[in-house]
Structure formats: structure tokens, C-alpha cells
Amino acid sequence: MRAADVGGRGAWQGIASVLLLLCLWQIGAGWAESRLFPGPLTVLRSLTQEAAAGPLLYHLGITLARVGISFVIAMVIGTALGITLGRLAWLDRWLSPWLIILLNVPALVVIILTYVWLGLVETALLVAVALNKIPNVAVTLREGARALERDYAEVAQIYRFGPWTTLREVIIPQLAPYFLAAARNGLALIWKIVLVVELLGRSNGVGFQLQSYFQLFDVPRVMAYAAAFVLCVLLIELLAFTPLEHRAGQWRR
Amino acid sequence: MTIRLAIDRKVYAARAGAPERVLFENLSLELGDGEVCAIVGPSGIGKSSLLQIIAGLDGDFVGSITSVPQPVGYLFQTPRLLPWRTARQNLELVMFDRPERAGEWLEKVGLSGSEDVYPQRLSLGMARRVALARALAVEPKLLLLDEPFSSLDEETLRGMQDLVATHIARLRSTTLLVTHHWYEAAALAHRVITLDGSPARIVDDRRLQQARAAE
Ligand SMILES: Nc1ncnc2c1ncn2[C@@H]1O[C@H](COP(=O)(O)OP(=O)(O)OP(=O)(O)O)[C@@H](O)[C@H]1O
Ligand SMILES: [Mg+2]
């Protein structure tokens, strides 16, 4: 779901459809009358309780920090790797089978092995998440590097741009859409994986909390954490990705 | 600085279904300092490829070329403006020592008012004029113009021709002008080279008697 569809200029349909979903949910919950299927109002109550008196903000903060750090690591390494492979065909012939394997190793296997080899420590979490993400970024940026237009490189050469200007004016603008796509997909993947990694080997963070409340069958609190999480995603969409995409694409017809 | 080009053989290798193409064989060309030379010849003969070689963009041939004077102004056959930069920014990028003059150049090619427009929203003729301004604005010692006046109306065409004539006279740029029209060649050039055959050769190389309009 694109943020522009939810809250963008004049996109009232997005807001209306979210409200409709909440209404249906509330009605459904009223029908079910079950502790295991709370309505949005109950969830909201748990959410405010957990945020005001409980540890929600602490765990959410920790998880967000983990997402942020592993996201940056994965983007930096994946981008560098992808661009290198896109430009050096011989290296690509050597490494592309590795990429395909890494892309297809189940995330859970990577997580378990990293915990086994590095121990149940913070570094292991960051490594496990980054390892799951790097191949995706690399493959996307490799595509971008292959698609660099020779025409513009020639313009840079004729008009003697120099390496720095060429990078800034010619290469980065062409890679930007690939980078943004990788970042958006990357964040979506990392959100999901971080929780699993927390659940398997850490004693704090949203993933850990979810597991605790799951064991107590405290569904309203499970949903409260999920809702807090979704709100964060929406905020990042609205505040970071939408404006960036708008800026990167304003020259298009 | 005289430019000496000798191509023993230039081949485009067979690729993805397209057969091998021997473009030039034993073609040599000497361009005097400040000479303005037009190149004519049928479509697909290799005129643009020849400019690429002289510009130093294509070194993949058997033969030799002396170093070319710098800076080079190259109007490619397609405009090749950076699409993510406005018309003005495209000029500023090549005039890094005096970017404030970009606006003057746009005025010279009749595009004041379109300074902040992105290239994809310019018409082809407008984009080509920005590209022409870019080629002239660097004050080139070597000027390569690949069909500079196509997609222009008669009146604009004459204006652009005068602009080019004025600037090559002032800068004394060695100039190569690819064109399909003899009147264009006659209006600007001292010399006209005709390419023909496969592989292409210079089948005609004549000096024009009359002085150019701008001189
Ligand atoms: N990069 C390339 N790879 C393979 N073949 C090419 C390449 N560029 C051009 N050619 C071939 O070389 C020949 C000459 O092309 P070129 O663009 O130099 O022609 P031209 O004389 O400029 O034609 P026009 O007047 O239509 O612009 C054509 O047959 C074309 O198919
Ligand atoms: Mg051509």
C-alpha cells in the first residue's frame, strides 16, 4: 500500500477505506463477543495503557533502532555489492550463483545459524537481518547499474564533468529509482524479519513482547503492539518515502 | 592543431541477430585548425559513427587519431540533455566557471521563458536548441554538430545557422557538421566531404570557393 493512497493529496478514498475497515472490524468483534477477537476500541485502550504505564515505548524504541541499524547496514553493503556486480561482468559470473542461493535460503535458517555461530547477542541479530536483506538490495542495484545509459556517460566525458560531478549528476539520478525500490521493499522485509529474530533470541523488543503476550493469550495486547508497529510504518511511508519519491520523480513527464 | 584520423578498419561486431558490419576501411581525414567541414552521405552510412570516433568516444577501431583540441562541443544526433536537470541546469553544468551566463545562452537559442523546464517537457526542436547552446557555450576548440538543424522551422533554422556561424567565426573552432542538405553545408562550411559505399569511403572532398556568410 502506497502512502499516497492512504493520506496523499486528495486521496480521501484511502482514509475512507481504512475507516470502513475499522467499522467492519468493530461490528465483527461485537458479534463474536470473544476475548480472542477484540474490537479496535479495546485494542486502542490496551495501546494507550501500554504506552502510558507499560513498557510499549521502550520495546518499540529498541525494535525501531534495530530496524534502522540493520536497514542501513543492508542498504550500504547491498548497494556497493550490486553496483560492483552490475559493472564488472566477470565478477558477476562468479558471484551470481551465490546471490541466487542467498536469496533462496529460508530466513529462519540464516537466523538460527547466525545465533548458533555468533551467540544470542545483539550483533547476531543485526547480522542475521542484514544477511537476509543484502541479496535483495544487491540484485536490484545490479539491475540499476546494468541499465546505466551510455549516452549520458558520453555527455559527461565530452563535457569533462570529472568523477565527482559525474557521480552526482549522471550516475546517482539513474540509480535513485532502483535505490528507492530496494529501500521500500527492504524496509518491508526487515520489519517482518526483525520480530522473528527478536522472538528467537532476544529478551526485549516488540517480537519478544508479542511472544510473552501470546503465551498469556492476551490478544488485545498482541494487537496493540501490532497496531503501534503499523502506525510507525505508516509514518515512515508518509514522512520519508512519499516525499523522496515525489522529489526523485518530478522531472518525469 | 591539425587533427589527423586514419581508420584502417572499423567493424561493428555481430550481435543479437545483427550481422557483422564493416563500416569503414582505409578512410583517412585531415582537418586543419579552424576548418569548417561538412559531411554528407546517405542515412546509415556512418556519419554519426565517424563523429563518435573523432570525439574520442569510440576507440574500438584499427587505426590512429591524433589528440583533439579541447574543449569539445558535441551536439549529438539526439539531444542527450540530462532529463533530471532543467534546461538552465543542463547549461550550468558545462559552464561551471560562469554558470550565470546560462540564461543568456537560452535567450540566444530563443528559449527564454523555458529556463526551468525539464527536458522531457520540451519539444524535440526546443531540446535540440538547448543541446546546441550547450555545445557552443563551452567555447569549443572542436565543434561536432550531428544534424544540428533538423526538426526546426525555416525561420528558427536560419537564426540557429547564424548563431553557429557567428560563434565558429569568433572562436575559430575546428568544426565538423553532419547534414543532409547542401544549402546548410554551403552556408557554413569551407569544405564538404561525401561518404558513400560499403564499407564507406570518402568519395568526394571539395573546398567551397565562397566565403561564409559570417566572415
Ligand atoms: N553501436 C552500434 N552497434 C552496431 N552497429 C551500429 C552501432 N551504431 C551504428 N551502427 C551501424 O552503423 C551504421 C552507421 O550508423 P550511423 O549512425 O553512423 O549512421 P549515420 O550515417 O549517422 O545515419 P543517419 O544519417 O541516419 O543518422 C548503421 O548501419 C548502423 O546500423
Ligand atoms: Mg547519424
Side-chain angles (χ1 to χ4, degrees):
Chain A
M1 181 164 56
R2 304 235 335 262
D5 305 333
V6 180
R9 299 154 304 271
W12 60 271
Q13 293 96 332
I15 297 170
S17 93
V18 170
L19 289 179
L20 183 68
L21 179 70
L22 290 176
C23 286
L24 289 177
W25 178 12
Q26 183 67 51
I27 294 168
W31 267 71
E33 278 187 0
S34 160
R35 201 168 55 83
L36 302 185
F37 188 44
L41 293 176
T42 323
V43 172
L44 185 65
R45 208 172 310 122
S46 311
L47 179 62
T48 42
Q49 271 171 15
E50 281 285 299
L56 183 137
L57 291 181
Y58 163 73
H59 291 289
L60 192 62
I62 287 203
T63 301
L64 283 178
R66 286 172 179 155
V67 167
I69 295 171
S70 41
F71 174 75
V72 170
I73 297 176
M75 287 306 291
V76 169
I77 297 181
T79 302
L81 182 64
I83 293 175
T84 314
L85 294 183
R87 301 314 290 172
L88 300 178
W90 65 269
L91 191 64
D92 186 42
R93 280 193 283 277
W94 275 96
L95 292 190
S96 87
W98 299 18
L99 267 189
I100 295 171
I101 292 170
L102 270 179
L103 268 175
N104 292 293
V105 174
L108 194 55
V109 174
V110 175
I111 297 166
I112 292 173
L113 288 180
T114 336
Y115 272 145
V116 170
W117 289 333
L118 299 184
L120 295 178
V121 293
E122 202 61 38
T123 328
L125 174 139
L126 296 177
V127 170
V129 176
L131 271 182
N132 270 301
K133 177 58 200 149
I134 287 170
N136 283 296
V137 181
V139 168
T140 311
L141 268 295
R142 180 177 66 181
E143 225 38 67
R146 282 179 183 158
L148 285 176
E149 289 278 355
R150 178 123 165 247
D151 282 9
Y152 300 130
E154 290 182 349
V155 168
Q157 191 184 331
I158 287 291
Y159 293 109
R160 299 185 295 178
F161 280 7
W164 172 237
T165 311
T166 305
L167 184 70
R168 201 187 56 219
E169 300 291 334
V170 179
I171 297 179
I172 290 178
Q174 291 183 77
L175 291 179
Y178 294 88
F179 187 82
L180 274 178
R184 155 163 288 146
N185 296 339
L187 209 50
L189 184 74
I190 286 181
W191 286 125
K192 290 170 188 161
I193 289 179
V194 161
L195 295 198
V196 178
V197 185
E198 284 177 343
L199 182 149
L200 284 177
R202 307 298 304 145
S203 51
N204 49 20
V206 174
F208 170 77
Q209 286 296 92
L210 284 177
Q211 186 193 25
S212 316
Y213 289 129
F214 166 53
Q215 276 158 6
L216 301 172
F217 261 58
D218 188 343
V219 181
R221 286 209 156 69
V222 169
M223 286 189 163
Y225 272 91
F229 212 66
V230 168
L231 279 177
C232 287
V233 178
L234 280 181
L235 274 181
I236 290 177
E237 269 284 337
L238 279 174
L239 299 181
F241 280 112
T242 311
L244 266 180
E245 275 182 350
H246 179 68
R247 260 196 60 192
Q250 66 183 0
W251 53 268
R252 284 173 209 283
R253 272 199 304 150
Chain B
M1 181 170 19
T2 305
I3 300 171
R4 287 190 187 82
L5 169 70
I7 305 175
D8 297 333
R9 202 172 149 79
K10 163 70 194 170
V11 182
Y12 282 123
R15 198 165 141 193
E20 182 186 85
R21 172 105 158 77
V22 183
L23 202 60
F24 305 121
E25 229 166 31
N26 302 322
L27 182 149
S28 65
L29 178 64
E30 199 166 299
L31 280 174
D33 204 12
E35 191 166 32
V36 181
C37 175
I39 302 177
V40 297
S43 173
I45 197 79
K47 303 180 297 295
S48 299
S49 305
L50 190 62
L51 288 200
Q52 295 268 119
I53 289 174
I54 292 172
L57 295 176
D58 182 2
D60 182 22
F61 64 97
V62 185
S64 64
I65 179 168
T66 56
S67 68
V68 299
Q70 296 283 341
V72 176
Y74 192 165
L75 174 71
F76 297 90
Q77 194 163 0
T78 52
R80 295 204 195 179
L81 301 174
L82 301 182
W84 41 86
R85 290 279 171 246
T86 62
R88 186 211 304 274
Q89 289 168 337
N90 264 284
L91 293 188
E92 284 171 352
L93 268 173
V94 302
M95 318 170 64
F96 38 83
D97 40 348
R98 43 187 192 307
E100 65 283 353
R101 295 200 49 205
E104 285 171 38
W105 271 104
L106 286 172
E107 206 177 308
K108 283 185 194 166
V109 294
L111 287 174
S112 36
S114 300
E115 288 90 350
D116 299 322
V117 179
Y118 286 98
Q120 292 192 350
R121 291 175 201 142
L122 294 172
S123 77
L124 181 57
M126 291 163 92
R128 293 183 57 93
R129 279 182 280 154
V130 179
L132 178 64
R134 177 171 70 177
L136 294 174
V138 298
E139 312 217 316
K141 284 277 161 236
L142 172 64
L143 180 61
L144 304 170
L145 301 172
D146 200 340
E147 302 186 25
F149 310 121
S150 60
S151 50
L152 297 181
D153 62 278
E154 285 280 326
E155 193 188 327
T156 316
L157 183 151
R158 265 191 295 278
M160 295 304 105
Q161 248 176 24
D162 289 346
L163 183 74
V164 170
T166 313
H167 281 274
I168 53 188
R170 182 173 65 83
L171 300 165
R172 309 213 159 280
S173 334
T174 307
T175 304
L176 271 175
L177 165 78
V178 171
T179 176
H180 288 291
H181 305 289
W182 271 91
Y183 63 81
E184 255 173 47
L188 291 169
H190 307 142
R191 177 182 173 193
V192 180
I193 287 172
T194 310
L195 291 179
D196 208 351
S198 178
R201 292 179 310 110
I202 297 179
V203 293
D204 188 52
D205 183 349
R206 65 177 68 181
R207 291 180 187 275
L208 298 181
Q209 293 305 313
Q210 85 275 28
R212 280 172 301 138
E215 275 185 350

